[in-house]
Amino acid sequence: MAERRVVAPAGLGEPIGPFVRGIAAGGLVAISGTSALSHLSGPANERKLVPDFEAQARQTFANLETALEAAGLGWRHAVQMTVILTRREDRAAFEAIRAEALGDTPVAGTPLASTVAVARLLRAEMLIEVDLWAVQPGGGAVVGRAGTGGGAVIEKWRVTGLAGGAGPFAGGVRAGRLVVFSATGADSHLAGPAESRELPPSFEAQARQSFANLEAALAAAGLGWRDAIKMTVVLKSRENYAQLNSIRAELFADEPIASTTFIAELPRAEALIEVDLWALAPDDGAPDDAAPGAG
């Protein structure tokens, strides 16, 4: 198992599910989805949320800064953020607030960013959520050895036991010790055109099969849940969040990981859940049963 440490900021409230605020492993720090609620405690639906976007965005960045500080880091160590908005028209205000929050961080040191607009977040009043990746100074290169061209060695493989992706992408990519798995659903173990793969009708069945498929993907890389550090969960309906947490509590009872969850339409109308996953391998060795170049 790769070395890992839970990031538990004293200035933030408890997570609203069976996950942790952050995971530090192999020189990399993953911060779970963070909002204007994250510094508060108590049941999620009882935490007071200011309805104003600017106030929510500023509090979200303050909470992220608290999480970074708990890991001994600052904004200069952040390398990537994913911003989830529920209203496209808030994009300009967000960019202004982000520039202010990052302050004196050199432009070259500001984190990369992806911004998406979704149907809703876990509470109808939530207007923004942000997750974050950062690197620890002197923590070691998770990307691994350099290739002859000076870039990282990247291996791609189609994981054993799962079907090919429903598009031109790999089931998993490994770069040194870092292993990233594509979004996985309850049909990822099936073959044939995506539209013809049969999906179980219930959320519980789809969720359990999705996690079983991710477990197979991890095993194909010579890993297990103990090596996972961060997941992103896309749900079609907010009403399934409690059941998702119940299932995750079974899987991660001993070692919860960082997580971000949001509500959105999925590529198939019948699909109710999709999950992508990041893991850290304990060494730089390639998986024994990988099929490099497949995918």
Side-chain angles (χ1 to χ4, degrees):
M1 179 177 68
E3 72 286 353
R4 48 185 276 167
R5 174 175 65 88
V6 172
V7 177
L12 298 185
E14 72 277 9
I16 60 173
F19 57 90
V20 294
R21 288 291 177 204
I23 291 286
L28 192 67
V29 178
I31 303 296
S32 292
T34 299
S35 72
L37 294 172
S38 299
H39 63 298
L40 303 174
S41 297
N45 59 356
E46 295 178 10
R47 300 184 189 188
K48 188 175 181 180
L49 190 62
V50 178
D52 175 65
F53 176 80
E54 181 176 339
Q56 286 195 28
R58 291 183 187 283
Q59 186 63 61
T60 297
F61 274 101
N63 291 342
L64 284 167
E65 189 165 355
T66 298
L68 285 168
E69 289 173 352
L73 306 176
W75 284 114
R76 67 189 181 282
H77 301 111
V79 293
Q80 200 273 341
M81 65 170 61
T82 300
V83 182
I84 306 167
L85 304 177
T86 60
R87 305 185 309 202
R88 290 184 178 87
E89 59 268 28
D90 290 326
R91 177 70 182 269
F94 165 74
E95 296 293 356
I97 293 167
R98 175 168 56 180
E100 179 184 318
L102 295 181
D104 296 331
T105 304
V107 172
T110 57
L112 303 174
S114 298
T115 303
V116 296
V118 301
R120 63 173 291 172
L121 290 161
L122 293 177
R123 276 181 55 177
E125 318 96 289
M126 287 176 65
L127 302 176
I128 180 172
E129 185 169 338
V130 182
D131 69 20
L132 194 67
W133 291 87
V135 291
Q136 297 170 303
V142 296
V143 172
R145 297 180 296 272
T148 55
V153 176
I154 298 179
E155 299 173 36
K156 297 183 180 181
W157 69 91
R158 179 173 293 131
V159 295
T160 306
L162 297 186
F169 54 84
V173 172
R174 177 166 177 165
R177 297 176 58 201
L178 189 63
V179 188
V180 185
F181 298 99
S182 294
T184 299
D187 61 353
S188 299
H189 61 300
L190 303 175
E195 302 77 19
S196 66
R197 300 180 189 181
E198 186 174 355
L199 281 168
S202 75
F203 175 79
E204 180 176 0
Q206 286 197 28
R208 291 189 181 279
Q209 186 62 61
S210 296
F211 283 115
N213 290 342
L214 280 169
E215 190 167 7
L218 284 163
L223 306 175
W225 287 118
R226 66 192 181 282
D227 301 301
I229 55 175
K230 168 73 165 64
M231 67 169 57
T232 301
V233 183
V234 185
L235 298 178
K236 186 173 183 178
S237 171
R238 181 195 180 281
E239 283 63 45
N240 292 323
Y241 186 64
Q243 196 166 24
L244 165 71
N245 281 341
S246 177
I247 294 168
R248 290 198 298 187
E250 297 175 21
L251 294 172
F252 303 105
D254 298 323
E255 293 185 283
I257 65 175
S259 177
T260 300
T261 302
F262 60 88
I263 316 302
E265 289 294 323
L266 290 163
R268 290 186 61 183
E270 318 95 293
L272 303 175
I273 181 173
E274 198 167 75
V275 186
D276 69 23
L277 189 71
W278 294 65
L280 191 69
D283 55 53
D284 280 339
D288 293 337
D289 52 358

